[in-house]
Structure formats: structure tokens, C-alpha cells
Amino acid sequence: MTDAQRFRDLYEECHPRVLAYASSLVGRQVGEDITSETFTVAWRRMRDIPTPPLPWLLGVARNLTHELRRRDGRQYALAAEEAQRVIASGAHVGDVAADVAEREVALQALATLSDADREVLTLVAWHGLGPRQAARVLGCATATFSVRLHRARRRLERAVSAVEDSAGLSREVRGSRPKVTVKEH
């Protein structure tokens, strides 16, 4: 297989997820630029890309994002709505009103967390990475990532409760809705 064919296959397989990840960090417009730069790096380093390639690509996108932040010195906002829209697919079944309310509570709670906690949680929940792959993206040990994920989940649970309390949701309403969690892999 030629490098060109391998790159095409890599691009087709990973582009949507790299775009979703980059968009979740810096918004859709800049996320598209980061994604393009990520695949430019991938083209130049085709022979260095490990299997599976996604964690490596997300690590490149993360590094490019950090370089952008250092270079520009601007604050950025987590584009949670956009990332979720990019990776969401298919029809949604269920009570739409309850789903919208639950999603709003989850997004409000997520917004109160630190950037580091949001990144750890979204790597697993939205981008579908396991602890080993997510640790590779963040450049840390799998055990370290697992501890960070555990702590971020606990903080998210507390944040969800706080948002529900501030919204005046009764315990009966809370009990009737599914608990917001980040799934284990």
C-alpha cells in the first residue's frame, strides 16, 4: 500500500473524530484549521503513526491547539454544543423535553468544571477513547489518566447536583430522570 493510499484511508477513518475533538477545544472554525494542520503533520510523518492512529492524531491536534493558545495568548471557550452536534448521528428516541432538560443540566454542570476535567471527560464520553488511548492523547500514564477521570467524574456528579439544586428540581424529578454519568470503557 502506498503512503498516499494509507493516508486516504487514515483520513477517511479519523477525520470526523479529529474534527470533533478539535472543535470541542476551540470551536468549529478554528477546529477545522487545527484538523487540517493535524493531517498535514500526519502526511509528513506517515511512517511514524502508530496503530491505532486516532490517539496519536488527537495528541497532535491537542499539541497544535496548545501552540495556538500560546501564540495568540487568547482565551478560548469549550464548544461543547458544537462537538456534540458533530459527533451525534442518527435519530433520537425518547421524551424530547426530558432529554433537552437533562442535556441542559449536564452542559451547565460541565461548564462549571475546569478545562482539564472537561477534556478528560470528553475524551472518554464524546470521543469514545479508552483510558490507555486518552492517556496517550494527554501524554500521561494510563494510571494517572484513570485517577484524573475518576476525580473528574465525581466533580461532575457534584456539579450536576448543584445545577439541579439551583434550578429547584425536586428529588422526585431527579429520581425520574436517568443519572448523568460518563461511561466506563
Side-chain angles (χ1 to χ4, degrees):
M1 178 181 296
T2 67
D3 280 350
Q5 182 58 45
R6 184 168 178 237
F7 180 79
R8 260 186 250 118
D9 293 347
L10 174 79
Y11 185 87
E12 288 174 9
E13 175 187 342
C14 297
H15 182 269
R17 294 182 69 190
V18 172
L19 177 60
Y21 177 71
S23 295
S24 73
L25 294 175
V26 293
R28 178 64 183 235
Q29 187 173 2
V30 177
E32 289 175 355
D33 294 339
I34 294 292
T35 301
S36 294
E37 288 182 51
T38 298
F39 281 98
T40 299
V41 170
W43 172 251
R44 281 188 255 130
R45 300 191 54 202
M46 278 303 294
R47 298 186 193 280
D48 298 332
I49 299 174
T51 302
L54 185 62
W56 186 87
L57 290 167
L58 295 182
V60 170
R62 182 174 189 262
N63 290 338
L64 290 169
T65 300
H66 285 254
E67 287 175 25
L68 174 69
R69 288 184 190 136
R70 279 190 301 271
R71 189 173 58 234
D72 293 346
R74 292 182 272 145
Q75 290 294 329
Y76 72 99
L78 178 67
E81 292 279 344
E82 186 63 29
Q84 201 161 17
R85 191 165 55 90
V86 169
I87 55 180
S89 64
H92 193 270
V93 180
D95 181 0
V96 175
D99 290 345
V100 168
E102 182 178 335
R103 181 174 182 209
E104 181 62 27
V105 166
L107 289 173
Q108 285 179 19
L110 195 61
T112 67
L113 299 179
S114 70
D115 290 343
D117 281 350
R118 284 192 301 258
E119 185 172 28
V120 166
L121 292 166
T122 59
L123 281 171
V124 173
W126 291 349
H127 302 293
L129 299 182
R132 175 179 283 157
Q133 293 173 327
R136 190 180 299 162
V137 171
L138 297 180
C140 66
T142 304
T144 301
F145 178 83
S146 295
V147 169
R148 288 178 186 172
L149 179 61
H150 173 77
R151 290 176 179 166
R153 284 180 176 141
R154 299 299 81 71
R155 285 189 281 269
L156 178 61
E157 287 173 3
R158 287 191 300 271
V160 165
S161 292
V163 169
E164 290 175 336
D165 288 345
S166 70
L169 294 177
S170 68
R171 298 217 182 276
E172 296 78 35
V173 172
R174 283 187 217 169
S176 69
R177 290 190 297 115
K179 186 178 178 183
V180 176
T181 59
V182 179
K183 296 178 184 175
E184 294 283 341
H185 278 270

